């Protein structure tokens, strides 16, 4: 697979901007905005993963509850009584910043999960091997990054995951860990069943910000304005490894979170995804 241009991935991820800008409103599957307090605002069957940040420092409300997701070995947050952060990165392609991110993680002895697609493994195999060698989880973000919510056939769904897992095994000699993140956060209840049937744990997130437009990166101050007030106990943080800003601030960001009393843990320890 050829490396996709930056504008391709920016366009592909653009729907997430609606989630990041939703604020105190949820997006109902119909597309209409609904108050987060409405019971209909948290259906299990939906189009996109969405969050409502109602109080800074508290866990946001997702459009499916932790209990609903747990029935399918899926989750978006950890133990909200523990000052623990689970770091995750989505990796559509190598943009020159992943090794700097890995350096910061190594400095802080912070485990992370990198959800990769086929292009990332094909074009940056040494970086993928480094992730595995340094103890990070490499998760399944599908081979081609399609809208998986439109794939109802189990065999077609499985092929996207199997092809990525096979390429990872060929590249590293190791089995791909059984963590899955739907591209663009697009999912439905059937997708959760499909992933569980294949032995995967579906991992969403409880904190993210608009960091994926490579030609319009936020400043450090803008990033901190989103990532510091909204961090919360048990947070599953989503960052993009293509982001220059993330690479530049990660060392300092991890220090700031440590100064707030947080520690970092692996997804293997995430309770609602079957961890300890």
């Amino acid at each position: 697979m050829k490396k996709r241009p930056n504008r391709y991935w920016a366009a592909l991820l653009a729907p997430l901007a609606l989630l990041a800008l939703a604020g105190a409103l949820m997006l109902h599957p119909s597309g209409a905005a609904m108050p987060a307090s409405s019971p209909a605002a948290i259906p299990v069957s939906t189009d996109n993963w969405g969050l409502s940040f109602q109080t800074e420092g508290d866990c946001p409300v997702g459009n499916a509850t932790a209990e609903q997701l747990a029935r399918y070995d899926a989750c978006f947050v950890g133990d909200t009584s523990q000052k623990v952060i689970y770091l995750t990165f989505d990796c559509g392609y190598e943009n020159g910043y992943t090794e700097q991110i890995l350096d910061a993680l190594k400095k802080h002895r912070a485990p992370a999960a990198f959800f990769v697609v086929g292009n990332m493994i094909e074009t940056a195999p040494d970086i993928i091997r480094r992730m595995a060698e340094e103890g990070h989880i490499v998760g399944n973000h599908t081979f081609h990054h399609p809208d998986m919510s439109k794939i109802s056939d189990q065999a077609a769904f499985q092929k996207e995951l199997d092809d990525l897992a096979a390429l990872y095994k060929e590249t590293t000699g190791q089995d791909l860990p059984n963590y899955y993140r739907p591209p663009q956060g697009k999912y439905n209840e059937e997708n959760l069943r499909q992933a569980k049937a294949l032995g995967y744990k579906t991992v969403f997130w409880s904190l993210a910000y608009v960091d994926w437009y490579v030609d319009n990166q936020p400043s450090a101050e803008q990033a901190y304005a989103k990532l510091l007030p909204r961090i919360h106990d048990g947070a599953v943080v989503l960052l993009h490894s293509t982001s220059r800003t993330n690479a530049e601030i990660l060392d300092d960001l991890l220090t700031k979170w440590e100064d707030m009393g947080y520690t970092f843990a692996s997804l293997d320890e995430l309770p609602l995804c079957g961890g300890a």
Side-chain angles (χ1 to χ4, degrees):
M1 179 188 294
K2 295 181 180 179
K3 176 178 177 179
R4 301 287 191 179
N6 293 354
R7 63 181 179 276
Y8 170 86
W9 290 104
L12 195 61
L13 292 170
L16 284 173
L18 294 175
L19 306 181
L21 296 175
L25 294 177
M26 289 292 192
L27 292 180
H28 187 268
S30 66
M34 299 186 61
S37 59
S38 169
I42 52 170
V44 170
S45 180
T46 187
D47 294 321
N48 296 284
W49 177 244
L51 296 169
S52 170
F53 288 87
Q54 300 179 339
T55 304
E56 288 187 345
D58 289 347
C59 180
V61 175
N63 60 5
T65 67
E67 291 73 23
Q68 287 173 320
L69 292 175
R71 297 204 308 264
Y72 304 99
D73 291 344
C75 57
F76 78 100
V77 68
D79 186 342
T80 55
S81 69
Q82 300 295 321
K83 293 189 74 65
V84 176
I85 295 171
Y86 304 89
L87 299 169
T88 71
F89 295 84
D90 283 4
C91 308
Y93 62 97
E94 176 49 35
N95 199 31
Y97 303 119
T98 309
E99 292 206 273
Q100 188 175 349
I101 288 170
L102 287 167
D103 290 342
L105 295 171
K106 186 174 184 178
K107 177 180 177 180
H108 290 263
R109 298 182 180 179
F114 291 86
F115 288 91
V116 305
V117 300
N119 176 271
M120 181 70 184
I121 301 179
E122 290 178 330
T123 61
D126 289 344
I127 294 177
I128 298 296
R129 283 189 283 265
R130 179 182 171 186
M131 291 173 183
E133 290 167 359
E134 295 186 357
H136 300 296
I137 288 171
V138 179
N140 202 320
H141 204 34
T142 74
F143 197 97
H144 296 103
H145 202 273
D147 178 352
M148 296 291 277
S149 69
K150 294 181 178 179
I151 301 178
S152 58
D153 179 68
Q154 180 74 17
F157 186 94
Q158 180 172 349
K159 181 171 172 54
E160 275 292 331
L161 301 183
D162 283 356
D163 286 355
L164 193 284
L167 181 59
Y168 178 80
K169 180 67 176 285
E170 177 185 330
T171 302
T172 66
Q174 301 178 22
D175 291 329
L176 186 76
N178 61 339
Y179 294 98
Y180 162 65
R181 174 165 285 162
Q184 304 176 63
K186 288 181 175 291
Y187 81 105
N188 54 43
E189 188 173 8
E190 180 58 26
N191 293 155
L192 299 179
R193 292 192 187 98
Q194 290 169 314
K196 181 179 180 180
L198 296 173
Y200 279 91
K201 299 177 176 70
T202 300
V203 182
F204 294 103
W205 58 90
S206 63
L207 176 60
Y209 79 117
V210 182
D211 62 349
W212 56 85
Y213 293 113
V214 296
D215 296 323
N216 185 24
Q217 281 287 284
S219 67
E221 291 72 21
Q222 289 170 326
Y224 289 143
K226 294 294 185 182
L227 296 172
L228 295 179
R230 289 183 170 180
I231 196 64
H232 55 274
D233 294 359
V236 176
V237 178
L238 163 59
L239 301 172
H240 285 84
S241 65
T242 53
S243 166
R244 181 191 70 252
T245 298
N246 287 343
E248 292 175 349
I249 71 170
L250 188 60
D251 181 14
D252 187 53
L253 175 65
L254 298 183
T255 298
K256 291 180 183 297
W257 279 337
E258 288 168 335
D259 289 344
M260 294 169 70
Y262 286 99
T263 59
F264 308 106
S266 167
L267 289 185
D268 286 337
E269 302 172 57
L270 194 59
L272 291 183
C273 272

